[in-house]
């Protein structure tokens, strides 16, 4: 493919082997190329810094441990986050919801499915009273038979991205965008909401600290990868340092 990192050619065989790990991506080849090139950049940096390890993965982890550091989240930062995200820290919250699922299958490519889902979402934004009708017609979920109704859902019952969106919606609110999960594309509407109880700050302080620490580390890693990519001599591909599972 004519790709090189710091003067060393990247073999097509390495990219072909990596593609197997990115079959769920919108562009598996692009993701595989980026991953292989970025790993080469990281391993070159580990070699420059004389960082050892029994495997490539260990050397990369040791590189991150040495070069990417962030301060621990203090109590004040945790409290600010707790107060700003009050809706997240409740127990017993329930949301009555409904959705329309457009399931990704080999016979329904993602791009075509997305066009259909966008068209249905636009229709619902114009005529929200048609939700049950369109759910019955288009949804690939058994709930389509009952107008898309999922009943009352508690936090944690759905995949995280569905959960996060659902509990941000107000009663009666239709999400203004499609939600993508491993099941496919969803149009989501919150209906009735039953409020639970506030969880005390002391109970969730450690959880918040872990989350803030992870967010800080991801931002620092994101910045570090961009620095390395900008400094490396990469030919044959434009690489965004953050477009990689290594950042997750």
């Amino acid at each position: 493919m004519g790709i090189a990192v710091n003067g060393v050619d990247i073999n097509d065989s390495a990219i072909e082997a990596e593609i197997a790990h990115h079959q769920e991506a919108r562009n598996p080849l692009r993701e595989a190329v980026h991953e292989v090139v970025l790993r080469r950049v990281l391993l070159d940096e580990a070699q420059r810094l004389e960082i050892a390890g029994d495997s490539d993965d260990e050397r990369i982890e040791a590189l991150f441990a040495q070069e990417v550091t962030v301060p621990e989240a203090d109590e004040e930062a945790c409290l600010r986050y707790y107060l700003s995200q009050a809706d997240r820290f409740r127990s017993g919250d329930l949301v009555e919801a409904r959705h329309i699922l457009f399931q990704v299958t080999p016979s329904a490519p993602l791009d075509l499915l997305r066009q259909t889902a966008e068209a249905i979402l636009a229709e619902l934004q114009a005529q929200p009273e048609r939700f049950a009708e369109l759910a019955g017609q288009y949804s690939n979920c058994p709930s389509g038979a009952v107008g898309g109704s999922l009943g009352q859902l508690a936090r944690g019952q759905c995949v995280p991205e569905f959960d996060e969106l659902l509990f941000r919606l107000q009663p009666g609110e239709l999400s203004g965008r499609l939600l993508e999960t491993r099941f496919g594309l969803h149009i989501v509407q919150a209906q009735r909401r039953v409020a639970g109880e506030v969880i005390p700050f002391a109970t969730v302080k450690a959880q918040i600290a872990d989350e803030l620490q992870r967010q800080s580390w991801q931002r620092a890693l994101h910045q570090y990868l961009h620095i390395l990519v900008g400094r490396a001599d990469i030919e044959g591909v434009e690489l965004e340092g953050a477009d990689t599972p290594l950042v997750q």
Side-chain angles (χ1 to χ4, degrees), residues 132-146:
E133 172 197 344
L134 294 173
Q137 185 176 349
Y138 289 98
S139 185
N140 297 122
C141 177
S143 65
V146 287

Side-chain angles (χ1 to χ4, degrees), residues 30-93:
R30 175 181 177 275
E31 295 298 321
V33 168
H34 282 202
E35 190 73 3
V36 170
V37 171
L38 184 56
R39 284 179 68 84
R40 185 67 266 160
V41 169
L42 291 168
L43 290 169
D44 285 353
E45 182 67 5
Q47 182 176 357
R48 187 183 74 83
L49 296 175
E50 300 181 345
I51 294 175
D54 293 334
S55 67
D56 287 350
D57 286 345
E58 283 190 12
R59 293 173 66 203
I60 290 172
E61 289 297 326
L63 174 66
F64 289 160
Q66 176 177 305
E67 299 296 311
V68 184
T69 58
V70 294
E72 292 190 9
D74 59 22
E75 183 161 342
E76 182 180 353
C78 292
L79 181 58
R80 282 199 307 270
Y81 185 83
Y82 173 80
L83 295 174
S84 69
Q85 303 284 330
D87 284 348
R88 285 191 55 196
F89 302 109
R90 306 179 65 92
S91 63
D93 279 359

